[in-house]
Amino acid sequence: MHPLLHVYITTPHLFLPLVTKILVFFLAFFLTPMAKLFHFLLLLFIQTISAQVAPTPAGPTNITQVLEKAGQFTTFIKLLKATQTADRLNSQLNNSNQGLTLFAPTDNAFSSLKAGTLNSINSQDQMQLVQFHILPTLYSISQFQTASNPLHTQAGNSDDGEYPLNVTTSGNQVNLTTGVVDTTVSNTIFSDNQLAVYQVDKVLLPMALFGSTAPAAAPAEAPAPTKPEKNVRAGAADSPSGSSDSSADASSAVSLKRKTVEVVTFVFAVIAVSCF
């Protein structure tokens, strides 16, 4: 190939003004009006497709825009904004090379929570809840197969057991468990060399905020006092030996009294006989 032709093919914009002038001159002096029109339109088409338009640089990654584009994440977006986590994530993504993994619960996931669940925790705990859905490391689906449990989340160091998030895999299925909730990754919303966003159909509730504690054992109830039985012989039943002794003493007293009466009667009889 001729070097000049090669240069024209690789950099047509350098020769375009010259080619345009030649074609215009040719059209003006050698072609019929209809042919001129046809070739003019052809020239316009060549200029359009030959223009080297520089590609527009990709804008900075915005986590809320990613979720808004995917749809069905309105509640999670509100939490990201209310806790200012969205701004921090966007700054981290655009000012560092650190990768992130985000588990995004759907609106249906939040609707499935027991009424008042989110209102039962303060704003600081709501931030911890949102950060519990973020891993400070980029994980592809295949990389979960070799991940070590518990996963480290932005809510805290999972090594101390405060915010443990465990993962298991079965083929391409990724299962997550918090100790309170079990769910699976149902869809990949976004993935590049720095950010991965995965859809989950349940809100990841950490043990530290929503774990159920075993209730303390209730103290044993004291036995109800029994009513005393009404028994006319209760006194005799309570102290049988004492009753026997009392009966014996009473019998002795009665016998002594009778003898005394007999003696007194006899004496009076003797006195009366002596007088007469």
Side-chain angles (χ1 to χ4, degrees):
M1 180 181 293
H2 195 278
L4 188 59
L5 180 60
H6 176 72
V7 173
Y8 172 73
I9 292 175
T10 55
T11 57
H13 59 281
L14 299 178
F15 292 87
L16 192 58
L18 179 60
V19 173
T20 302
K21 291 179 181 179
I22 294 174
L23 287 176
V24 169
F25 178 80
F26 179 77
L27 289 173
F29 291 95
F30 296 100
L31 298 178
T32 62
M34 289 300 297
K36 289 180 181 180
L37 178 61
F38 173 76
H39 284 86
F40 175 77
L41 294 176
L42 179 61
L43 177 62
L44 182 62
F45 176 74
I46 293 173
Q47 288 179 332
T48 303
I49 64 173
S50 298
Q52 300 291 324
V53 180
T56 55
T61 304
N62 188 301
I63 188 63
T64 56
Q65 289 180 358
V66 170
L67 294 173
E68 287 170 354
K69 184 177 180 180
Q72 67 177 345
F73 298 100
T74 305
T75 305
F76 192 53
I77 291 172
K78 289 180 179 178
L79 281 175
L80 285 169
K81 292 181 177 179
T83 59
Q84 298 182 347
T85 305
D87 294 336
R88 185 174 52 79
L89 289 180
N90 291 333
S91 176
Q92 183 175 340
L93 288 170
N94 296 295
N95 297 312
S96 73
N97 294 324
Q98 183 180 357
L100 293 173
T101 301
L102 177 69
F103 299 109
T106 62
D107 291 334
N108 287 336
F110 283 98
S111 299
S112 300
L113 292 176
K114 193 178 297 184
T117 298
L118 294 181
N119 293 332
S120 66
I121 57 177
N122 57 37
S123 58
Q124 181 63 32
D125 289 340
Q126 287 183 3
M127 177 181 293
Q128 296 295 330
L129 174 63
V130 172
Q131 292 178 341
F132 188 62
H133 291 73
I134 305 167
L135 308 180
T137 306
L138 177 64
Y139 283 97
S140 64
I141 291 294
S142 60
Q143 287 174 327
F144 282 117
Q145 298 177 358
T146 57
S148 300
N149 287 319
L151 298 179
H152 181 86
T153 70
Q154 286 197 346
N157 190 348
S158 298
D159 294 338
D160 61 10
E162 186 179 8
Y163 292 94
L165 178 61
N166 295 299
V167 59
T168 58
T169 58
S170 177
N172 290 328
Q173 178 175 309
V174 178
N175 307 307
L176 302 171
T177 179
T178 70
V180 179
V181 171
D182 298 328
T183 189
T184 60
V185 172
S186 57
N187 188 24
T188 300
I189 300 170
F190 181 85
S191 180
D192 62 10
N193 59 354
Q194 195 178 9
L195 174 67
V197 182
Y198 300 110
Q199 174 182 326
V200 290
D201 295 329
K202 289 185 180 179
V203 180
L204 303 180
L205 303 178
M207 282 285 294
L209 301 180
F210 300 96
S212 56
T213 55
E221 293 184 1
T226 56
K227 293 182 179 180
E229 296 182 1
K230 293 181 180 180
N231 195 330
V232 294
R233 290 182 293 179
D238 290 340
S239 56
S241 59
S243 297
S244 299
D245 295 341
S246 298
S247 299
D249 294 342
S251 299
S252 299
V254 170
S255 299
L256 181 62
K257 186 176 181 179
R258 285 178 179 178
K259 288 181 181 181
T260 303
V261 170
E262 290 176 355
V263 170
V264 171
T265 302
F266 177 75
V267 170
F268 275 103
V270 171
I271 294 173
V273 170
S274 299
C275 291
F276 289 102

